[in-house]
């Protein structure tokens, strides 16, 4: 069972717009802040670091979800193969390599 959901174009556009608006508001606020230049520079560097950290975190979460999805698909394929090969009406014979071995 794979759960593949596609994001709509409107959702992607809204996400991009909200990110752009938020970043613009922060930058305009930092530029118009009535403080010394070094304070603005410090806040600007903090903003750059925060934005890059957000992108890195989003990528890590996406990669982890993709890894779990691949492992889930591999496990599902193994289970489907085992179920396809299983014959509940088959009677094992003593020479059959798939027959259960007796201990001793």
């Amino acid at each position: 069972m794979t759960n593949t959901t596609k994001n709509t174009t409107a959702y992607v556009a809204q996400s991009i717009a909200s990110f752009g608006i938020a970043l613009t508001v922060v930058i305009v606020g930092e530029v118009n802040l009535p403080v010394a230049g070094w304070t603005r520079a410090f806040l600007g560097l903090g903003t750059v670091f925060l934005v890059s950290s957000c992108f890195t975190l989003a990528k890590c979460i996406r990669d982890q979800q993709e890894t779990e999805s691949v492992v889930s698909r591999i496990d599902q394929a193994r289970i489907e193969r085992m179920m396809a090969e299983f014959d509940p009406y088959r009677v094992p014979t003593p020479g059959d390599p798939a027959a259960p071995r007796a201990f001793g």
Side-chain angles (χ1 to χ4, degrees):
M1 290 190 151
T2 57
N3 183 9
T4 55
T5 57
K6 278 270 199 189
N7 293 332
T8 63
T9 306
Y11 178 76
V12 173
Q14 180 184 1
S15 298
I16 293 170
S18 65
F19 176 78
I21 291 169
L23 185 60
T24 302
V25 167
V26 168
I27 292 173
V28 168
E30 289 174 356
V31 168
N32 293 323
L33 198 62
V35 293
W38 68 269
T39 306
R40 276 195 209 109
F42 178 76
L43 293 174
L45 286 175
T47 302
V48 169
F49 182 65
L50 181 62
V51 169
S52 66
S53 296
C54 287
F55 281 118
T56 303
L57 177 62
K59 182 187 177 306
C60 289
I61 291 171
R62 184 200 63 202
D63 291 347
Q64 182 63 30
Q65 287 176 341
E66 286 178 355
T67 301
E68 290 172 2
S69 174
V70 169
V71 169
S72 175
R73 281 188 262 153
I74 290 171
D75 290 342
Q76 185 66 28
R78 285 183 186 153
I79 290 171
E80 287 176 2
R81 189 185 81 208
M82 287 172 49
M83 290 177 70
E85 292 174 355
F86 179 70
D87 183 8
Y89 300 111
R90 182 170 120 345
V91 177
T93 58
D96 192 4
R101 296 187 181 127
F103 296 105

